Amino acid sequence: MFPPKFAWGAATAAYQIEGGWDSDGKGPSIWDTFCHKGGGLVYEDHSGDVTCSSYVFWEEDLKCIQQLGLTHYRLSVSWSRLLPDGTTKHVNQKGVRYYNKVIDDLLASNVMPMVTLYHFDLPQALQDQGGWTSPEMADIFDSYACFCFQTFGDRVKLWITLNEPYVCAKLGHEDGIFAPGIKEPGIAAYLVGHNMLRAHARAWHSYHSMYRAKQGGAVSLALNSDWAEPVNPASPDDIAATERYLAFSLGWFAWPVFVTGDYPEVMRSRVELRSKELSCQDCRLPAFSKDEPSILGTADFFALNYYTSRRVKAVGGLPEGCGLKSDQDAEAVVDPTWPVCGVSWLAVVPDGLRKLLKYIKDTFNNPAVYITENGFSQVGPVVMDDVQRCGFYQDIIQEVAKAIQEDGVDVRGYFAWSLLDNFEWADGFRVRFGLFHVDFAQPEKTRTIYRSGREYAGIISKYQSQTNNSQ
Ligand code: GAL
């Protein structure tokens, strides 16, 4: 049984579904630039130029949302569609009109929007000024966030400032496999993470002081986390490595916001130690200034993106050819133990979600939690009758139910990733996460429900009627 107002949702992100990359005055984003570089940065040089064409076919998406019986829909707004150069100096009214229509249509269908302000697509004009490595970004993001609160906040009550700052920092600025494609191990990622936290906090404070009383919404940031367990549960070294693994991923962002206002102690000490060992002049993990608004307490709920679980073991000493990467700072390595299905990184471990939810309850003071993304992909020939993914949704939603009933976790909602097959970042269109199949070869980008979509619709309607009957 789920609580009466439980949010049953699905999620998407602007760059992954909208297309219309230069339509109606939209400015370019770092993902436009990254994909247009070619050279295999993205699988077969795919791009989000067109993708599902949701910019044109929004009404088709709405039909999908209605067919599933969703109570909530999580979408992101494209910053450079609204503000082509990233600043409020120039507003693209056609972009405003598009999102106004999306929001109004959702509400008219009795579906609550959850809006993400930033899902990986920084306006290129801001990247040209240093992007997230620049301290100025906190103010610039705050202005953009205020613009959105002002424009859409009369109707949007659930806000996510930033999606997965860990992924932006690490994949975008350390591994270089996501836009903007920077590879500066151990320095840029920490700086980017830091500025993203400052930007998020600034936007939360603005909402709190200027909009909350009138608009009555809630604001958070979406953090991705694997669940992690020690390879050898009897080994104190593996246990410590697992704690470090979590500290250097979820803890990196959750500790400052939910626990202390600063990075986890183990992260500070490890980075400092390794900086000395490797003769870096500065400690690479920046300090929060006391003169700035606090980071602690800047989330009205915990937004979690969960996909997979890992087994972790300690590594003794510095590995061969070692560098300064954040995972090397953690000195914890992942053992690919659970079987992987779909994409290479995705081991399906439904009870990992339950354990992670319990960990969040215990570690972060029992927050209200929305699972803002969770899903399972298919790769290769399309299977419309995707029984494996049906089982996946059954199992994982059972685990969420157990977390609520047996562990007392305050879970308020579940958003499947994703409503539609879409542009899966560096994997292009090779990997399909949708509840609806999208035929990318057709100009109409026809949407067709998968069996797993019908399964999810069935789950929603079953739980909703149970809730209604018990009221
Ligand atoms: C998340 C991301 C989504 C989606 C998903 C599946 O990291 O927020 O945009 O791509 O992963 O890989």
Side-chain angles (χ1 to χ4, degrees), residues 12-13 16 74 119-120 163-164 167 171 178 224 305 307 343 345-346 373 375 377 417-418 422-425 427 431 433:
T12 58
Q16 294 179 277
R74 176 173 175 231
H119 199 124
F120 303 171
N163 182 68
E164 302 187 349
V167 169
L171 274 58
F178 273 24
N224 59 294
N305 294 353
Y307 285 91
V343 244
W345 54 268
L346 212 171
E373 281 180 34
S377 57
W417 183 272
S418 175
N422 60 49
F423 174 79
E424 177 52 20
W425 309 116
D427 279 321
V431 172
F433 269 98

Side-chain angles (χ1 to χ4, degrees), residues 170-337:
K170 178 145 180 56
L171 274 58
H173 297 80
E174 181 166 286
D175 303 337
I177 55 176
F178 273 24
I182 293 169
K183 290 184 190 167
E184 282 175 14
I187 296 171
Y190 292 134
L191 189 56
V192 164
H194 196 71
N195 288 328
M196 293 189 95
L197 279 165
R198 292 175 54 244
H200 158 76
R202 214 59 73 79
W204 184 90
H205 282 287
S206 292
Y207 190 82
H208 190 64
S209 57
M210 295 191 287
Y211 300 95
R212 190 192 299 284
K214 199 152 177 251
Q215 299 184 349
V219 181
S220 189
L221 77 175
L223 302 181
N224 59 294
S225 186
D226 306 337
W227 171 243
E229 290 178 8
V231 167
N232 175 1
S235 150
D237 285 350
D238 285 4
I239 294 174
T242 306
E243 281 163 11
R244 288 199 301 276
Y245 178 82
L246 283 172
F248 273 79
S249 48
L250 182 60
W252 180 352
F253 298 93
W255 231 262
V257 174
F258 292 92
V259 188
T260 58
D262 197 4
Y263 299 112
E265 182 42 46
V266 69
M267 197 174 169
R268 279 229 171 273
S269 57
R270 296 271 349 140
V271 176
E272 208 168 302
L273 182 74
R274 293 211 60 226
S275 298
K276 275 197 201 124
E277 281 170 350
L278 295 166
S279 312
C280 299
Q281 273 102 1
D282 321 307
C283 182
R284 293 164 289 132
L285 196 59
F288 291 108
S289 159
K290 297 218 164 26
D291 304 330
E292 291 200 351
S294 71
I295 310 286
L296 182 63
T298 56
D300 302 319
F301 56 93
F302 199 108
L304 172 72
N305 294 353
Y306 169 82
Y307 285 91
T308 193
S309 292
R310 303 287 183 220
R311 289 208 172 98
V312 177
K313 65 183 176 203
V315 276
L318 299 177
E320 185 86 9
C322 72
L324 290 167
K325 280 190 165 192
S326 56
D327 42 5
Q328 292 171 322
D329 286 332
E331 290 195 2
V333 294
V334 157
D335 216 26
T337 17

